[in-house]
């Protein structure tokens, strides 16, 4: 049976092991005027230059923080407090106010993401690492279309595959578009990870 081809970015599942909080978000800031469009489920992190703000991550960036889940700001046109499940880009609130971003950011957070594989994946891909294949999305529903790359390595990369989805509609390794359970391998809060320069 074929897997469904319907990417959704990083979908939070649970955290590893026994912890006080099974899952949760932290508030960060997006720089006013940032042109990046950030969708719900997009991988976000720190720019390498260390601005103190978060931004959309592209393939191979290492200062990854987690999955973006929504934003709150004062709309510069309507002057009304606005919550969206995605950041539309190029927003500068009145008086250069803050743009709040909510991120699933635990280094122990488990996520589900669809593979960009157009053919079969393999059991041996589990416990291997891969980068993102894409990090786009839709402004219609605000949902990310990010997928994991189908190129695996033992060495560090953005994501580490820890298993196959438990969703019977997307758990067939022998078919295209399998959903993986992953954690962020190159995590800004991970042990031994360098910070922004």
């Amino acid at each position: 049976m074929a897997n469904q081809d319907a990417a959704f970015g990083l979908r939070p599942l649970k955290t590893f092991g026994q912890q006080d909080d099974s899952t949760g978000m932290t508030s960060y800031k997006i720089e006013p005027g940032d042109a990046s469009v950030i969708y719900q489920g997009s991988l976000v992190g720190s720019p390498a230059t260390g601005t103190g703000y978060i931004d959309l991550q592209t393939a191979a960036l290492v200062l990854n923080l987690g999955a973006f889940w929504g934003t709150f700001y004062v709309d510069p046109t309507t002057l009304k407090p606005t919550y969206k499940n995605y950041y539309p880009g190029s927003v500068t609130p009145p008086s250069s106010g803050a743009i709040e971003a909510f991120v699933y950011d635990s280094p122990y957070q488990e996520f589900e993401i669809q593979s960009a594989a157009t053919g079969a994946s393999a059991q041996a891909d589990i416990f291997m690492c891969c980068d993102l294949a894409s990090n786009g999305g839709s402004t219609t529903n605000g949902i990310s279309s990010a997928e994991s790359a189908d190129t695996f390595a033992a060495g560090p990369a953005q994501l580490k595959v820890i298993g196959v989805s438990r969703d019977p509609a997307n758990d067939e390794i022998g078919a295209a578009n399998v959903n993986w359970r992953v954690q962020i391998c190159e995590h800004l809060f991970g042990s031994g990870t360098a910070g922004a320069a």
Side-chain angles (χ1 to χ4, degrees):
M1 183 167 148
N3 295 313
Q4 295 176 4
D5 185 9
F8 47 80
L10 290 165
R11 180 184 297 152
L13 297 174
K14 64 183 188 77
T15 53
F16 291 105
Q18 181 178 355
Q19 301 191 30
D20 293 335
D21 185 8
S22 61
T23 190
M25 294 180 279
T26 302
S27 173
Y28 294 93
K29 302 291 185 235
I30 297 172
E31 187 170 15
D34 186 329
S36 301
V37 179
I38 308 173
Y39 301 96
Q40 186 177 72
S42 293
L43 181 64
V44 294
S46 170
T49 54
T51 62
Y53 295 100
I54 66 160
D55 204 352
L56 184 69
Q57 296 293 81
T58 56
L61 293 181
V62 299
L63 298 176
N64 305 296
L65 190 57
F68 177 85
W69 215 249
T71 185
F72 177 80
Y73 55 88
V74 175
D75 187 284
T77 304
T78 64
L79 301 181
K80 292 185 178 182
T82 302
Y83 175 83
K84 287 183 177 273
N85 69 333
Y86 77 102
Y87 170 69
S90 302
V91 173
T92 303
S95 305
S96 295
I99 300 170
E100 195 170 10
F102 305 102
V103 180
Y104 283 98
D105 64 345
S106 170
Y108 300 106
Q109 180 72 51
E110 183 179 326
F111 298 97
E112 187 166 319
I113 190 169
Q114 186 162 90
S115 170
T118 56
S121 296
Q123 181 70 26
D125 296 337
I126 296 173
F127 304 131
M128 298 284 278
C129 297
C130 63
D131 283 328
L132 289 178
S134 63
N135 206 10
S138 167
T139 55
T140 302
N141 61 17
I143 304 296
S144 172
S145 61
E147 294 180 307
S148 66
D150 192 37
T151 304
F152 296 90
Q158 287 175 312
L159 306 173
K160 183 178 290 176
V161 176
I162 58 171
V164 179
S165 171
R166 294 188 173 107
D167 176 2
N170 277 87
D171 66 350
E172 189 174 339
I173 291 181
N177 306 307
V178 69
N179 286 359
W180 294 121
R181 288 182 294 119
V182 300
Q183 79 171 114
I184 297 172
C185 181
E186 294 173 324
H187 199 291
L188 186 59
F189 297 154
S191 176
T193 305

